[in-house]
């Protein structure tokens, strides 16, 4: 059966639960590795769409540390299994997206969250990079930003792929820097969101993230760029399989 795509963060209890979880992981990671947040003054007031490169399971808590308010995460539906993990993830407020197929319900849920003046977090690559370099950004993120007409806040996460690479079960230590860049102000599209519009904004989003990363984490040459999964691990991108232009 289809999983309800969003758990609303609209109560004092849920707000407190989110903050307690964030505090727990902040204390835990502070004991395991070094990290710092730069550019926090760039954070706008909600609603906004947060985008970041994706290289590690550490990215989700690091993104939560980087902003003051609550985030609605976009994550793969597989996070709901086993059930105890799914219950915990749902309690934090998430949108669950199906991998490898169009998921209009998840896109519309993310759009509703932004219309309710929430901050939504997504990794536009849709899968973790193995070498730390930025891969393909999918168009779904641009579709969402254009439909909502909200600011897009870029983050560059440097060093997480070494501290906890894909496949690792525990952080190895090291130093991580999360850089927050100036928000990009995306005008609301009135009418159809066309492919050229999505392509233009997708490239702007990707460049904004790349500008926040060290040289060894920037994109491969076009001839070597890896093909990312349509919707991958971690907080999934709203990928190549997008809804019809609206």
């Amino acid at each position: 059966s289809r999983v309800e795509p969003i758990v609303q963060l609209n109560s004092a209890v849920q707000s407190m639960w989110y903050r307690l979880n964030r505090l727990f992981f902040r204390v835990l990671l502070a004991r395991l590795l070094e990290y710092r947040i730069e550019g926090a003054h760039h954070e706008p007031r909600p609603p906004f769409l947060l985008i970041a490169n994706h290289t590690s399971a550490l990215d989700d808590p690091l993104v939560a540390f980087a902003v003051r308010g609550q985030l609605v995460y976009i994550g793969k539906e597989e996070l709901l299994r086993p059930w105890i993990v799914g219950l915990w993830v749902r309690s934090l407020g998430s949108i669950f997206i199906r991998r490898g197929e169009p998921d209009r319900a998840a896109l519309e849920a993310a759009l509703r969250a932004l219309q309710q003046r929430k901050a939504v977090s997504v990794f536009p690559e849709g899968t973790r990079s193995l070498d730390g370099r930025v891969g393909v950004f999918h168009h779904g993120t641009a579709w969402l930003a254009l439909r909502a007409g909200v600011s897009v806040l870029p983050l560059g996460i440097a060093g997480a792929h070494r501290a906890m690479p894909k496949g690792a079960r525990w952080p190895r230590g090291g130093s991580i820097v999360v850089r927050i860049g100036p928000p990009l102000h995306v005008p609301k599209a009135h009418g159809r969101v066309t492919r050229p519009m999505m392509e233009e904004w997708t490239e702007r989003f990707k460049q904004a993230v790349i500008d926040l990363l060290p040289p060894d984490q920037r994109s491969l040459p076009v001839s070597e760029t890896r093909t990312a999964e349509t919707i991958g691990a971690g907080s999934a991108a709203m990928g190549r399989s997008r809804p019809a232009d609206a």
Side-chain angles (χ1 to χ4, degrees):
S1 60
R2 180 72 174 97
V3 177
E4 178 62 24
I6 187 170
V7 177
Q8 300 286 356
L9 290 175
N10 57 2
S11 71
V13 173
Q14 282 187 313
S15 177
M16 182 178 296
W17 176 242
Y18 179 94
R19 293 174 187 278
L20 284 172
N21 274 269
R22 183 168 60 182
L23 177 61
F24 170 78
F25 281 102
R26 190 191 298 273
V27 172
L28 176 63
L29 290 189
R31 292 178 175 272
L32 298 174
L33 48 81
E34 295 180 3
Y35 70 87
R36 69 177 187 272
I37 311 296
E38 298 179 354
H41 61 282
H42 288 304
E43 181 185 344
R45 291 185 177 182
F48 63 85
L49 186 62
L50 185 154
I51 61 172
N53 61 307
H54 195 21
T55 68
S56 171
L58 296 172
D59 295 339
D60 285 295
L62 289 168
V63 165
F65 304 162
V67 297
R68 294 184 296 273
Q70 295 173 320
L71 291 171
V72 175
Y73 284 94
I74 298 175
K76 62 179 181 177
E77 199 173 55
E78 289 87 339
L79 291 173
L80 295 168
R81 298 185 290 272
W83 71 269
I84 190 66
V85 175
L87 182 64
W88 171 64
V89 174
R90 285 177 64 84
S91 74
L92 296 174
S94 298
I95 296 168
F96 305 106
I97 193 164
R98 289 177 173 174
R99 303 174 66 180
E101 61 180 271
D103 196 340
R104 183 64 180 256
L107 282 166
E108 294 294 345
L111 182 58
R112 287 195 300 273
L114 291 169
Q115 291 169 341
Q116 293 164 3
R117 306 195 66 79
K118 298 180 184 295
V120 174
S121 172
V122 62
F123 298 120
E125 294 162 277
T127 186
R128 285 171 288 178
S129 167
L130 294 176
D131 60 8
R133 288 184 281 195
V134 176
V136 176
F137 270 38
H138 297 303
H139 291 165
T141 305
W143 180 90
L144 181 58
L146 286 161
R147 291 293 293 166
V150 296
S151 296
V152 173
L153 186 67
L155 269 68
I157 304 174
H161 64 294
R162 287 185 290 269
M164 189 174 178
K166 187 173 182 178
R169 296 188 177 184
W170 197 251
R172 299 175 178 177
S175 179
I176 300 173
V177 179
V178 181
R179 295 188 179 93
I180 305 173
L184 290 79
H185 302 289
V186 182
K188 184 174 183 178
H190 298 284
R192 296 178 66 246
V193 176
T194 65
R195 178 170 290 274
M197 293 165 62
M198 290 189 291
E199 288 176 348
E200 177 186 351
W201 281 101
T202 297
E203 286 305 310
R204 290 192 188 186
F205 296 163
K206 183 175 181 178
Q207 190 59 53
V209 171
I210 287 172
D211 288 345
L212 300 169
L213 294 170
D216 66 328
Q217 283 194 242
R218 294 175 184 173
S219 294
L220 290 166
V222 174
S223 61
E224 300 179 37
T225 299
R226 62 185 171 84
T227 302
E229 299 172 23
T230 302
I231 300 172
S235 294
M238 295 152 296
R240 289 171 294 187
S241 300
R242 59 179 177 82
D245 293 345

